[in-house]
Amino acid sequence: MLPGTVPILSRYQVISLALAGMLFVYLLAGLWAYRKRPVLCLVFVPLTPVAVLVHSIGALWGLIRPVETVEVTEKVTPETIENVHESLDEGDLSAHDRAERLLQESDTQFQVAGFDD
């Protein structure tokens, strides 16, 4: 828009900054709740605006050209997961309260590798 054509431009700037701030508040809340790999926070925080932009472009593309077919992945049963991981006993997944990672060996342990699970 041309300068001077938007009424009360300063209000739009304040609203834009507030929305951008909320974006990072939600990001930080998600990182705190997930707590899986703290090292990746250094990558996720600066890439948040890029992710939002790409997501918005994808949503717009979905409006312009909606999908016609949907494919789903095959689900794995909890019993199969418990059989694969030796550290899990039968019923561990159903009894898990989801407060922390189930397979994490200690509260201070984290993985440096990016997306290996």
Side-chain angles (χ1 to χ4, degrees):
M1 302 193 108
L2 298 173
T5 59
V6 176
I8 315 170
L9 184 61
S10 61
R11 287 188 188 172
Y12 290 115
Q13 290 173 338
V14 170
I15 292 170
S16 294
L17 287 174
L19 290 173
M22 286 305 300
L23 172 73
F24 284 101
V25 167
Y26 280 114
L27 167 77
L28 294 174
L31 289 174
W32 179 80
Y34 194 53
R35 290 192 297 266
K36 189 172 182 182
R37 294 186 174 90
V39 174
L40 290 178
C41 294
L42 301 173
V43 175
F44 289 151
V45 172
L47 288 179
T48 296
V50 176
V52 170
L53 177 67
V54 171
H55 179 269
S56 300
I57 292 170
L60 180 62
W61 183 256
L63 288 173
I64 294 171
R65 232 175 140 192
V67 294
E68 296 175 4
T69 61
V70 177
E71 295 180 20
V72 297
T73 58
E74 183 178 337
K75 305 301 180 220
V76 179
T77 63
E79 293 79 21
T80 303
I81 295 171
E82 291 168 349
N83 289 336
V84 170
H85 294 281
E86 298 112 14
S87 61
L88 293 177
D89 294 325
E90 187 176 333
D92 279 352
L93 285 176
S94 60
H96 184 56
D97 64 357
R98 292 170 175 64
E100 296 294 331
R101 291 190 71 190
L102 184 61
L103 298 175
Q104 186 174 6
E105 294 181 13
S106 73
D107 291 338
T108 58
Q109 175 188 1
F110 64 89
Q111 299 173 359
V112 178
F115 301 99
D116 58 349
D117 59 359

